[in-house]
Every structure is written in structure tokens, then in C-alpha cells.
Short mmCIF file of all heavy atoms in Angstrom, two decimals:
data_model
loop_
_atom_site.label_atom_id
_atom_site.label_comp_id
_atom_site.label_asym_id
_atom_site.label_seq_id
_atom_site.Cartn_x
_atom_site.Cartn_y
_atom_site.Cartn_z
N THR A 1 -45.51 -18.62 -23.20
CA THR A 1 -45.58 -18.32 -21.77
C THR A 1 -46.84 -17.52 -21.45
O THR A 1 -47.55 -17.81 -20.48
CB THR A 1 -44.33 -17.55 -21.32
OG1 THR A 1 -43.17 -18.29 -21.67
CG2 THR A 1 -44.35 -17.30 -19.82
N ARG A 2 -47.13 -16.53 -22.28
CA ARG A 2 -48.33 -15.72 -22.04
C ARG A 2 -49.59 -16.57 -22.15
O ARG A 2 -50.54 -16.42 -21.36
CB ARG A 2 -48.39 -14.55 -23.02
CG ARG A 2 -49.66 -13.70 -22.86
CD ARG A 2 -49.71 -12.56 -23.85
NE ARG A 2 -48.77 -11.51 -23.47
CZ ARG A 2 -48.58 -10.39 -24.18
NH1 ARG A 2 -49.25 -10.20 -25.30
NH2 ARG A 2 -47.73 -9.49 -23.76
N GLU A 3 -49.62 -17.48 -23.09
CA GLU A 3 -50.79 -18.34 -23.25
C GLU A 3 -51.02 -19.18 -21.99
O GLU A 3 -52.14 -19.34 -21.52
CB GLU A 3 -50.60 -19.26 -24.46
CG GLU A 3 -51.77 -20.20 -24.71
CD GLU A 3 -51.53 -21.13 -25.88
OE1 GLU A 3 -50.71 -20.79 -26.76
OE2 GLU A 3 -52.16 -22.20 -25.91
N ILE A 4 -49.93 -19.72 -21.42
CA ILE A 4 -50.06 -20.54 -20.21
C ILE A 4 -50.41 -19.68 -19.01
O ILE A 4 -51.20 -20.08 -18.14
CB ILE A 4 -48.77 -21.35 -20.00
CG1 ILE A 4 -48.62 -22.36 -21.14
CG2 ILE A 4 -48.78 -22.04 -18.65
CD1 ILE A 4 -47.31 -23.12 -21.13
N ILE A 5 -49.85 -18.47 -18.94
CA ILE A 5 -50.24 -17.54 -17.88
C ILE A 5 -51.74 -17.31 -17.90
O ILE A 5 -52.42 -17.36 -16.86
CB ILE A 5 -49.48 -16.20 -18.03
CG1 ILE A 5 -48.00 -16.38 -17.67
CG2 ILE A 5 -50.11 -15.11 -17.16
CD1 ILE A 5 -47.14 -15.17 -17.98
N THR A 6 -52.27 -17.06 -19.08
CA THR A 6 -53.71 -16.82 -19.23
C THR A 6 -54.51 -18.03 -18.77
O THR A 6 -55.53 -17.90 -18.06
CB THR A 6 -54.02 -16.48 -20.69
OG1 THR A 6 -53.25 -15.35 -21.10
CG2 THR A 6 -55.50 -16.18 -20.88
N ARG A 7 -54.05 -19.21 -19.15
CA ARG A 7 -54.77 -20.42 -18.80
C ARG A 7 -54.76 -20.66 -17.28
O ARG A 7 -55.77 -20.99 -16.68
CB ARG A 7 -54.14 -21.61 -19.53
CG ARG A 7 -55.05 -22.83 -19.65
CD ARG A 7 -54.38 -23.94 -20.47
NE ARG A 7 -53.97 -23.49 -21.79
CZ ARG A 7 -53.34 -24.25 -22.68
NH1 ARG A 7 -53.04 -25.51 -22.36
NH2 ARG A 7 -53.00 -23.78 -23.86
N VAL A 8 -53.59 -20.47 -16.67
CA VAL A 8 -53.49 -20.71 -15.22
C VAL A 8 -54.29 -19.68 -14.44
O VAL A 8 -54.96 -20.02 -13.45
CB VAL A 8 -52.01 -20.70 -14.79
CG1 VAL A 8 -51.89 -20.72 -13.27
CG2 VAL A 8 -51.28 -21.91 -15.38
N ASN A 9 -54.26 -18.42 -14.86
CA ASN A 9 -55.06 -17.42 -14.16
C ASN A 9 -56.54 -17.73 -14.25
O ASN A 9 -57.30 -17.46 -13.30
CB ASN A 9 -54.77 -16.03 -14.74
CG ASN A 9 -53.53 -15.39 -14.15
OD1 ASN A 9 -53.08 -15.77 -13.08
ND2 ASN A 9 -52.96 -14.42 -14.85
N ARG A 10 -56.97 -18.29 -15.37
CA ARG A 10 -58.38 -18.69 -15.51
C ARG A 10 -58.71 -19.81 -14.51
O ARG A 10 -59.78 -19.81 -13.88
CB ARG A 10 -58.64 -19.14 -16.94
CG ARG A 10 -60.13 -19.32 -17.28
CD ARG A 10 -60.31 -19.75 -18.73
NE ARG A 10 -59.73 -18.77 -19.64
CZ ARG A 10 -58.82 -19.07 -20.57
NH1 ARG A 10 -58.38 -20.31 -20.69
NH2 ARG A 10 -58.36 -18.13 -21.36
N ILE A 11 -57.78 -20.75 -14.36
CA ILE A 11 -57.99 -21.85 -13.42
C ILE A 11 -58.02 -21.32 -11.99
O ILE A 11 -58.83 -21.75 -11.16
CB ILE A 11 -56.89 -22.92 -13.59
CG1 ILE A 11 -56.98 -23.55 -14.98
CG2 ILE A 11 -57.00 -24.01 -12.52
CD1 ILE A 11 -55.78 -24.43 -15.33
N ARG A 12 -57.12 -20.38 -11.68
CA ARG A 12 -57.08 -19.80 -10.33
C ARG A 12 -58.40 -19.16 -9.96
O ARG A 12 -58.86 -19.24 -8.81
CB ARG A 12 -55.96 -18.75 -10.24
CG ARG A 12 -54.58 -19.34 -10.00
CD ARG A 12 -53.49 -18.29 -10.20
NE ARG A 12 -53.73 -17.04 -9.50
CZ ARG A 12 -53.28 -16.75 -8.28
NH1 ARG A 12 -52.58 -17.64 -7.61
NH2 ARG A 12 -53.52 -15.57 -7.74
N LYS A 13 -59.02 -18.49 -10.91
CA LYS A 13 -60.29 -17.83 -10.62
C LYS A 13 -61.45 -18.82 -10.50
O LYS A 13 -62.43 -18.56 -9.81
CB LYS A 13 -60.59 -16.79 -11.70
CG LYS A 13 -59.64 -15.60 -11.65
CD LYS A 13 -59.95 -14.58 -12.73
CE LYS A 13 -59.00 -13.38 -12.65
NZ LYS A 13 -59.25 -12.38 -13.70
N ALA A 14 -61.33 -19.95 -11.16
CA ALA A 14 -62.42 -20.93 -11.18
C ALA A 14 -62.39 -21.86 -9.97
O ALA A 14 -63.44 -22.40 -9.59
CB ALA A 14 -62.36 -21.75 -12.46
N TYR A 15 -61.22 -22.05 -9.36
CA TYR A 15 -61.09 -23.04 -8.29
C TYR A 15 -60.59 -22.37 -7.01
O TYR A 15 -59.48 -21.86 -6.95
CB TYR A 15 -60.13 -24.16 -8.71
CG TYR A 15 -60.71 -25.02 -9.81
CD1 TYR A 15 -60.51 -24.69 -11.14
CD2 TYR A 15 -61.49 -26.14 -9.50
CE1 TYR A 15 -61.07 -25.46 -12.16
CE2 TYR A 15 -62.05 -26.91 -10.51
CZ TYR A 15 -61.84 -26.57 -11.83
OH TYR A 15 -62.40 -27.32 -12.83
N THR A 16 -61.43 -22.43 -5.98
CA THR A 16 -61.07 -21.79 -4.71
C THR A 16 -59.87 -22.47 -4.05
O THR A 16 -59.24 -21.88 -3.17
CB THR A 16 -62.26 -21.82 -3.74
OG1 THR A 16 -62.69 -23.18 -3.55
CG2 THR A 16 -63.43 -21.00 -4.28
N ALA A 17 -59.56 -23.68 -4.47
CA ALA A 17 -58.38 -24.36 -3.91
C ALA A 17 -57.11 -23.56 -4.15
O ALA A 17 -56.15 -23.66 -3.38
CB ALA A 17 -58.25 -25.75 -4.52
N LEU A 18 -57.07 -22.76 -5.22
CA LEU A 18 -55.90 -21.96 -5.54
C LEU A 18 -56.02 -20.53 -5.01
O LEU A 18 -55.16 -19.70 -5.30
CB LEU A 18 -55.67 -21.94 -7.05
CG LEU A 18 -55.33 -23.30 -7.68
CD1 LEU A 18 -55.19 -23.18 -9.19
CD2 LEU A 18 -54.07 -23.90 -7.07
N GLN A 19 -57.05 -20.26 -4.23
CA GLN A 19 -57.27 -18.92 -3.72
C GLN A 19 -56.87 -18.77 -2.25
O GLN A 19 -57.20 -17.80 -1.59
CB GLN A 19 -58.74 -18.53 -3.93
CG GLN A 19 -59.09 -18.43 -5.41
CD GLN A 19 -60.56 -18.19 -5.67
OE1 GLN A 19 -61.31 -17.77 -4.78
NE2 GLN A 19 -61.00 -18.45 -6.90
N SER A 20 -56.14 -19.76 -1.76
CA SER A 20 -55.58 -19.70 -0.41
C SER A 20 -54.16 -20.24 -0.44
O SER A 20 -53.85 -21.13 -1.24
CB SER A 20 -56.43 -20.51 0.57
OG SER A 20 -55.83 -20.54 1.85
N THR A 21 -53.32 -19.71 0.39
CA THR A 21 -51.95 -20.21 0.52
C THR A 21 -51.83 -21.26 1.61
O THR A 21 -50.99 -22.15 1.54
CB THR A 21 -50.99 -19.04 0.83
OG1 THR A 21 -51.06 -18.07 -0.23
CG2 THR A 21 -49.54 -19.51 0.94
N TRP A 22 -52.72 -21.19 2.60
CA TRP A 22 -52.56 -21.98 3.82
C TRP A 22 -53.00 -23.43 3.65
O TRP A 22 -52.79 -24.24 4.56
CB TRP A 22 -53.34 -21.33 4.96
CG TRP A 22 -53.29 -19.84 4.96
CD1 TRP A 22 -54.35 -18.99 4.89
CD2 TRP A 22 -52.12 -19.01 4.99
NE1 TRP A 22 -53.91 -17.69 4.88
CE2 TRP A 22 -52.55 -17.67 4.93
CE3 TRP A 22 -50.75 -19.28 5.05
CZ2 TRP A 22 -51.67 -16.60 4.96
CZ3 TRP A 22 -49.87 -18.22 5.06
CH2 TRP A 22 -50.33 -16.90 5.03
N ASN A 23 -53.61 -23.80 2.54
CA ASN A 23 -54.25 -25.11 2.39
C ASN A 23 -53.39 -26.11 1.62
O ASN A 23 -53.92 -26.98 0.94
CB ASN A 23 -55.59 -24.94 1.66
CG ASN A 23 -55.41 -24.31 0.27
OD1 ASN A 23 -54.39 -23.69 0.00
ND2 ASN A 23 -56.38 -24.47 -0.60
N ILE A 24 -52.09 -26.01 1.72
CA ILE A 24 -51.20 -26.85 0.92
C ILE A 24 -50.67 -28.03 1.74
O ILE A 24 -50.33 -27.89 2.91
CB ILE A 24 -50.02 -26.02 0.36
CG1 ILE A 24 -49.21 -26.85 -0.64
CG2 ILE A 24 -49.15 -25.47 1.47
CD1 ILE A 24 -48.19 -26.02 -1.42
N ASP A 25 -50.67 -29.21 1.11
CA ASP A 25 -50.03 -30.41 1.65
C ASP A 25 -49.20 -31.03 0.54
O ASP A 25 -49.71 -31.25 -0.57
CB ASP A 25 -51.07 -31.41 2.16
CG ASP A 25 -51.75 -30.96 3.43
OD1 ASP A 25 -51.03 -30.58 4.38
OD2 ASP A 25 -52.99 -30.99 3.49
N PHE A 26 -47.95 -31.34 0.82
CA PHE A 26 -47.08 -31.91 -0.20
C PHE A 26 -47.29 -33.42 -0.28
O PHE A 26 -47.48 -34.10 0.73
CB PHE A 26 -45.62 -31.57 0.08
CG PHE A 26 -45.29 -30.15 -0.25
CD1 PHE A 26 -45.33 -29.17 0.73
CD2 PHE A 26 -44.96 -29.78 -1.55
CE1 PHE A 26 -45.06 -27.85 0.42
CE2 PHE A 26 -44.68 -28.46 -1.86
CZ PHE A 26 -44.73 -27.50 -0.88
N ASN A 27 -47.25 -33.91 -1.53
CA ASN A 27 -47.44 -35.33 -1.79
C ASN A 27 -46.09 -36.00 -2.00
O ASN A 27 -45.17 -35.42 -2.58
CB ASN A 27 -48.31 -35.54 -3.03
CG ASN A 27 -49.65 -34.84 -2.92
OD1 ASN A 27 -50.26 -34.83 -1.86
ND2 ASN A 27 -50.10 -34.23 -4.01
N GLU A 28 -46.01 -37.22 -1.57
CA GLU A 28 -44.79 -38.00 -1.74
C GLU A 28 -44.56 -38.31 -3.22
O GLU A 28 -45.50 -38.69 -3.93
CB GLU A 28 -44.93 -39.29 -0.95
CG GLU A 28 -43.77 -40.25 -1.05
CD GLU A 28 -44.05 -41.56 -0.36
OE1 GLU A 28 -44.75 -41.54 0.69
OE2 GLU A 28 -43.60 -42.61 -0.86
N THR A 29 -43.34 -38.13 -3.71
CA THR A 29 -42.95 -38.57 -5.06
C THR A 29 -41.62 -39.30 -4.95
O THR A 29 -40.86 -39.10 -4.00
CB THR A 29 -42.79 -37.39 -6.04
OG1 THR A 29 -41.56 -36.71 -5.76
CG2 THR A 29 -43.95 -36.42 -5.95
N ASN A 30 -41.32 -40.15 -5.93
CA ASN A 30 -40.06 -40.90 -5.90
C ASN A 30 -39.04 -40.33 -6.87
O ASN A 30 -38.12 -41.02 -7.31
CB ASN A 30 -40.31 -42.38 -6.21
CG ASN A 30 -40.87 -42.60 -7.61
OD1 ASN A 30 -41.31 -41.65 -8.26
ND2 ASN A 30 -40.85 -43.83 -8.08
N ASN A 31 -39.18 -39.03 -7.19
CA ASN A 31 -38.24 -38.36 -8.07
C ASN A 31 -38.04 -36.94 -7.55
O ASN A 31 -39.00 -36.17 -7.44
CB ASN A 31 -38.76 -38.33 -9.51
CG ASN A 31 -37.77 -37.74 -10.50
OD1 ASN A 31 -36.83 -37.03 -10.13
ND2 ASN A 31 -37.97 -38.01 -11.78
N GLU A 32 -36.81 -36.60 -7.20
CA GLU A 32 -36.52 -35.29 -6.62
C GLU A 32 -36.69 -34.15 -7.62
O GLU A 32 -36.67 -32.98 -7.23
CB GLU A 32 -35.11 -35.27 -6.04
CG GLU A 32 -34.95 -36.11 -4.79
CD GLU A 32 -35.93 -35.69 -3.70
OE1 GLU A 32 -35.92 -34.50 -3.32
OE2 GLU A 32 -36.72 -36.54 -3.26
N ARG A 33 -36.85 -34.48 -8.88
CA ARG A 33 -37.07 -33.43 -9.89
C ARG A 33 -38.55 -33.18 -10.14
O ARG A 33 -38.91 -32.32 -10.94
CB ARG A 33 -36.38 -33.79 -11.21
CG ARG A 33 -34.90 -34.08 -11.11
CD ARG A 33 -34.13 -33.00 -10.33
NE ARG A 33 -34.21 -31.70 -10.95
CZ ARG A 33 -33.39 -31.23 -11.88
NH1 ARG A 33 -32.39 -32.00 -12.29
NH2 ARG A 33 -33.52 -30.03 -12.36
N VAL A 34 -39.41 -33.94 -9.48
CA VAL A 34 -40.87 -33.76 -9.62
C VAL A 34 -41.44 -33.41 -8.25
O VAL A 34 -41.28 -34.18 -7.29
CB VAL A 34 -41.56 -35.01 -10.18
CG1 VAL A 34 -43.08 -34.82 -10.20
CG2 VAL A 34 -41.04 -35.32 -11.58
N ILE A 35 -42.08 -32.27 -8.16
CA ILE A 35 -42.71 -31.86 -6.91
C ILE A 35 -44.22 -31.93 -7.09
O ILE A 35 -44.75 -31.60 -8.17
CB ILE A 35 -42.27 -30.43 -6.52
CG1 ILE A 35 -42.75 -30.08 -5.11
CG2 ILE A 35 -42.73 -29.38 -7.52
CD1 ILE A 35 -42.15 -28.79 -4.56
N SER A 36 -44.91 -32.39 -6.06
CA SER A 36 -46.37 -32.51 -6.14
C SER A 36 -46.98 -32.05 -4.83
O SER A 36 -46.42 -32.27 -3.75
CB SER A 36 -46.77 -33.96 -6.42
OG SER A 36 -48.19 -34.09 -6.43
N TYR A 37 -48.13 -31.40 -4.92
CA TYR A 37 -48.81 -30.92 -3.73
C TYR A 37 -50.31 -30.87 -3.98
O TYR A 37 -50.78 -30.72 -5.11
CB TYR A 37 -48.30 -29.55 -3.29
CG TYR A 37 -48.00 -28.57 -4.40
CD1 TYR A 37 -48.91 -27.59 -4.78
CD2 TYR A 37 -46.78 -28.62 -5.07
CE1 TYR A 37 -48.62 -26.68 -5.78
CE2 TYR A 37 -46.48 -27.72 -6.08
CZ TYR A 37 -47.40 -26.76 -6.44
OH TYR A 37 -47.11 -25.87 -7.45
N THR A 38 -51.05 -31.04 -2.91
CA THR A 38 -52.51 -30.96 -2.94
C THR A 38 -52.94 -29.62 -2.38
O THR A 38 -52.42 -29.16 -1.36
CB THR A 38 -53.14 -32.09 -2.11
OG1 THR A 38 -52.74 -33.35 -2.66
CG2 THR A 38 -54.66 -32.00 -2.13
N LYS A 39 -53.87 -28.98 -3.06
CA LYS A 39 -54.48 -27.76 -2.56
C LYS A 39 -55.95 -28.07 -2.28
O LYS A 39 -56.73 -28.35 -3.19
CB LYS A 39 -54.36 -26.63 -3.59
CG LYS A 39 -52.94 -26.26 -3.94
CD LYS A 39 -52.29 -25.40 -2.87
CE LYS A 39 -52.82 -24.00 -2.93
NZ LYS A 39 -51.98 -23.01 -2.24
N LEU A 40 -56.32 -28.04 -1.01
CA LEU A 40 -57.66 -28.38 -0.58
C LEU A 40 -58.57 -27.16 -0.67
O LEU A 40 -58.21 -26.08 -0.22
CB LEU A 40 -57.64 -28.92 0.84
CG LEU A 40 -56.84 -30.20 1.07
CD1 LEU A 40 -56.79 -30.54 2.55
CD2 LEU A 40 -57.44 -31.35 0.28
#
């Protein structure tokens, strides 16, 4: 878990798409157990 936390935090700092909450749009999926969204 800590290893993945480290990896995701690195991605958050590298990509401005993850530096805002307001820029989210959910993508259609055909499985209710899989959620997908675009961060612009």
C-alpha cells in the first residue's frame, strides 16, 4: 500500500489534471463494479 501511495503521489505532482477537483467527467462503463472518469 505504501509503495502505491508513493507512486500515486508522484503522478499527482507530475500531472496538473490531478491537481483540481472541479475538472472531472465520468465515463460510461458496462460494469457497475468498474468506475471510470476523465480528469482534464
Side-chain angles (χ1 to χ4, degrees):
T1 304
R2 177 181 286 179
E3 180 182 337
I4 294 173
I5 289 171
T6 303
R7 200 176 304 178
V8 171
N9 277 340
R10 191 179 301 125
I11 296 170
R12 278 169 49 93
K13 291 180 179 179
Y15 291 89
T16 57
L18 296 177
Q19 295 174 17
S20 175
T21 301
W22 322 122
N23 59 341
I24 188 169
D25 288 310
F26 285 95
N27 304 320
E28 178 186 325
T29 75
N30 63 347
N31 185 341
E32 289 304 303
R33 305 310 299 272
V34 176
I35 189 170
S36 177
Y37 40 97
T38 299
K39 299 282 286 198
L40 298 174

